[in-house]
């Protein structure tokens, strides 16, 4: 295999990873069958109940609410019954905080029961080891506003629920610093119609001198539109225009428990792991857009050539600073989607001793493609 | 959304979504589960899909969200019984290309296996954009939106991933 240049590796990866497998026919049939069943259920749910039945339902709903309040589990009971011993132990510690704050949004009532830090129980995805430092565990109770019970974990309808619960830290952009990057995880458990979520993340108390939030959305994944981040003040707020649940609870840490040195070290490690380092930002900035290349870089006149098509790719040839002949392969569908003409929005770049060089492509109305090298 | 529209969605994007799930999870059983869950989740969001934009990116975003939310479960299962290493069933059009000699075919199979293994071993920050770009063939802008990172960072990560993969291939004795 010839790997003389970066474009060859691009071609090899493309060939190796392209979508070459497909779902079994039976799997698709099964999905369509479930779609049909789901559609029938939805139609049934929309049906209006007769007035007499509605009254009975109201009485049942009130009874359920009273019943649920009486059966509400304490964190201690909850973690003893459902969580691992490390989590139960964390909430027995003196630093554990009981919050018991309730907020209502959409069809649900969310009660932030409390937060604690303790031994890590889940391997870090990045290091495949148990984190040396402790983790933070937060417990949230989720109920239906109308008192009807939440689906049990074993119910099919449980899989239709979507909640994302994430700690956020004042001054750190939620887009980059959320549960998905903080070695996060959660487990759900159900008792007496209430769904409890135990959320875990990297230890948070070290940031206790900042405003720390517990954010809740009704999405599977972190939705950056749900909250607003003020880069100047570092404050995070609920986006009032957001279409969906977007709650923020305050985590009432004692500021004296903050550990600025540990916080700094954590952020340095975090940035290194997730590519937020200054180096990568510099790398990102180094790669110019097509417009920037056209405005700021010099076109190498000898490089201009009409691309020849070989098999499924167009080929652009050039010679690098060491005198090696190289070839760029481009896929017309990627560079000129939807019969686009003019400058492609995509570009190819490579780096050698002389710096970064860019190859830009222009498609004429007759379909011919011209390549240009810029340095 | 009618059954026909939903069926069209599966027909048009099912293959790429399934393959993305397969690459992400690494085995057929897991890929089947994730694909099915993604498609069923899509039912709920059908009204939110912008057909004029890129429904495929929307579906990939759902698959990714499901995977990430299940991360803990997956990690725990791994601790109890490590999941089977990826075994690749290579029956690609690429390999069936008449223009390749048997020798080239052999090299291609080996290379493909190696690239898939090496890619799967990459940290998520590189692995995810690579699968989104090369397997799901998503535009950079859509990858950036779903991963909540700037487009420049996506490009930078893809660039670094290529370098890592190239280096690993060279380590295995491929020509520099």
């Amino acid at each position: 295999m010839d790997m003389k240049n970066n474009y060859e590796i691009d071609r090899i990866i493309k060939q190796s990873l392209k979508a070459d497998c497909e779902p079994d026919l039976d799997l698709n049939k099964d999905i369509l069958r479930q779609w049909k069943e789901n559609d029938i259920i939805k139609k049934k749910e929309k049906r209006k109940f007769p007035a007499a039945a509605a009254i009975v339902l109201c009485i049942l709903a009130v009874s359920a609410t009273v019943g649920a309040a009486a059966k509400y589990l304490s964190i201690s009971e909850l973690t003893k019954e459902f969580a691992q011993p490390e989590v139960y132990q964390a909430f027995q510690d003196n630093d554990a905080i009981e919050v018991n704050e309730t907020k209502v949004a959409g069809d649900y009532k969310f009660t932030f029961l409390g937060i604690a830090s303790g031994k890590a129980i889940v391997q870090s995805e990045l290091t495949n080891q148990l984190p040396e430092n402790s983790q933070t565990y937060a417990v949230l109770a989720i109920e239906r506003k109308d008192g009807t019970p939440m689906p049990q974990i074993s119910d099919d309808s449980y899989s239709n629920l979507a909640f994302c619960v994430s700690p956020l830290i004042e001054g750190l952009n939620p887009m980059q610093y959320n549960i998905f990057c903080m070695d996060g995880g959660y487990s759900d458990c159900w008792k007496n119609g209430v769904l409890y979520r135990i959320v875990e993340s990297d230890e948070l108390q070290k940031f206790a001198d900042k405003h720390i939030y517990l954010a809740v959305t009704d999405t599977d994944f972190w939705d950056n539109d749900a909250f607003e981040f003020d880069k100047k003040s570092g404050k995070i707020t609920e986006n009032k225009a957001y279409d969906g649940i977007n709650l923020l609870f305050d985590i009432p840490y004692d500021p004296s428990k903050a550990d600025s040195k540990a916080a700094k070290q954590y952020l340095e490690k975090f940035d290194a792991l997730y590519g937020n380092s200054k180096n990568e930002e510099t790398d990102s900035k180094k790669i110019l857009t097509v417009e920037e290349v056209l405005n700021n870089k010099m076109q190498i006149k000898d490089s201009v050539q009409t691309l020849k098509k070989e098999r499924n790719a167009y080929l652009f040839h050039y010679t690098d600073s060491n005198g090696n002949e190289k070839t760029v392969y481009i896929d017309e569908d990627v560079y000129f989607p939807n019969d686009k003409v003019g400058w492609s929005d995509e570009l190819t770049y490579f780096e050698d001793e002389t710096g970064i060089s860019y190859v830009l492509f222009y498609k004429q109305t007759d379909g011919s493609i011209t390549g240009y090298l810029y340095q | 959304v009618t059954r026909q529209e939903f069926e069209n969605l599966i027909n048009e994007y099912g293959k790429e979504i399934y393959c993305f799930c397969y690459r992400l999870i690494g085995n057929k059983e897991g890929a089947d589960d994730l694909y099915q869950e993604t498609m069923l989740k899509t039912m709920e969001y059908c009204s939110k899909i912008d057909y004029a934009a890129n429904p495929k990116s929307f579906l990939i975003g759902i698959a990714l969200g499901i995977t990430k939310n299940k991360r803990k479960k997956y990690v725990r299962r791994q601790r109890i019984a490590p999941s089977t290493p990826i075994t690749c069933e290579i029956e690609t059009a690429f390999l069936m290309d008449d223009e390749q000699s048997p020798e080239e075919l052999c090299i291609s199979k080996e290379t493909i296996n190696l690239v898939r293994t090496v890619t799967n071993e990459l940290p998520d920050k590189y692995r995810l954009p690579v699968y989104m770009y090369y397997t799901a063939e998503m535009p950079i802008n859509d990858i950036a939106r779903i991963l909540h990172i700037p487009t420049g960072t996506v490009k930078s990560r893809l660039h670094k991933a290529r370098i890592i993969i190239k280096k690993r291939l060279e380590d295995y004795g491929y020509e520099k």
Side-chain angles (χ1 to χ4, degrees), chain A residues 221, chain B residues 13-22 24 34-35 38-39 42 49 54-68 128-129 131-133 135-139 142-143 145-147:
Chain A
F221 191 61
Chain B
Y13 305 108
K15 186 179 171 184
E16 280 163 315
I17 304 302
Y18 181 81
C19 217
F20 178 79
C21 296
Y22 193 99
L24 207 59
L34 178 57
Y35 172 75
T38 301
M39 287 306 182
T42 304
I49 298 178
N54 194 344
K56 183 172 71 184
S57 298
F58 190 86
L59 297 176
I60 293 287
I62 290 176
L64 211 55
I66 292 170
T67 318
K68 292 206 168 189
L128 298 181
Y131 288 149
M132 292 166 99
Y133 185 74
T135 304
E137 297 188 0
M138 289 168 62
D142 285 4
I143 299 174
R145 187 171 49 77
I146 287 173
L147 295 179

Side-chain angles (χ1 to χ4, degrees), chain A residues 279-294:
Chain A
N279 284 342
E280 184 168 71
E281 279 175 13
T282 311
D283 286 349
S284 302
K285 281 175 193 167
K286 274 185 197 168
I287 302 161
L288 304 179
T289 63
V290 171
E291 195 180 345
E292 287 165 343
V293 172
L294 289 169

Side-chain angles (χ1 to χ4, degrees), chain A residues 315-363:
Chain A
L315 273 54
F316 176 86
H317 304 281
Y318 69 97
T319 306
D320 73 7
S321 58
N322 295 322
N324 299 317
E325 285 188 6
K326 302 202 167 183
T327 306
V328 178
Y329 298 80
I330 72 156
D331 183 335
E332 188 177 12
D333 291 341
V334 173
Y335 280 76
F336 298 97
N338 306 320
D339 299 324
K340 177 180 169 66
V341 291
W343 286 108
S344 169
D345 295 331
E346 302 290 328
L347 56 76
T348 297
Y349 62 91
F350 58 91
E351 193 168 5
D352 57 22
E353 293 89 15
T354 59
I356 297 181
S357 300
Y358 297 84
V359 187
L360 269 51
F361 303 95
Y362 190 93
K363 189 175 180 182

Side-chain angles (χ1 to χ4, degrees), chain A residues 179-190:
Chain A
I179 188 83
F180 291 101
C181 310
M182 294 179 177
D183 258 333
Y186 73 88
S187 48
D188 282 348
C189 44
W190 184 97

Side-chain angles (χ1 to χ4, degrees), chain A residues 195-259:
Chain A
L195 189 71
Y196 296 90
R197 176 161 294 196
I198 304 171
V199 182
E200 60 191 77
S201 70
D202 288 332
E203 203 273 326
L204 297 169
Q205 192 168 250
K206 53 174 130 355
F207 293 102
D209 54 349
K210 296 180 187 301
H211 199 144
I212 305 185
Y213 316 80
L214 192 71
V216 182
T217 61
D218 55 346
T219 53
D220 273 320
F221 191 61
W222 176 252
D223 189 344
N224 207 44
D225 295 334
F227 302 98
E228 289 174 338
F229 175 62
D230 185 329
K231 283 181 183 169
K232 279 187 183 172
S233 68
K235 296 279 179 202
I236 298 162
T237 49
E238 294 155 357
N239 176 6
K240 287 176 184 167
Y242 182 70
D243 181 18
I245 293 172
N246 59 341
L247 292 177
L248 281 178
F249 288 98
D250 292 328
I251 301 180
Y253 275 131
D254 174 356
S256 68
K257 303 272 185 185
D259 182 343

Side-chain angles (χ1 to χ4, degrees), chain A residues 10 20 34 84 274 311, chain B residues 36 69 76 92 97 134 157:
Chain A
D10 185 62
D20 60 355
Q34 290 190 56
Q84 288 180 267
Y274 287 100
R311 298 165 88 175
Chain B
Q36 184 162 9
N69 269 2
R76 278 193 181 155
T92 66
D97 195 328
Y134 288 104
R157 289 184 184 179

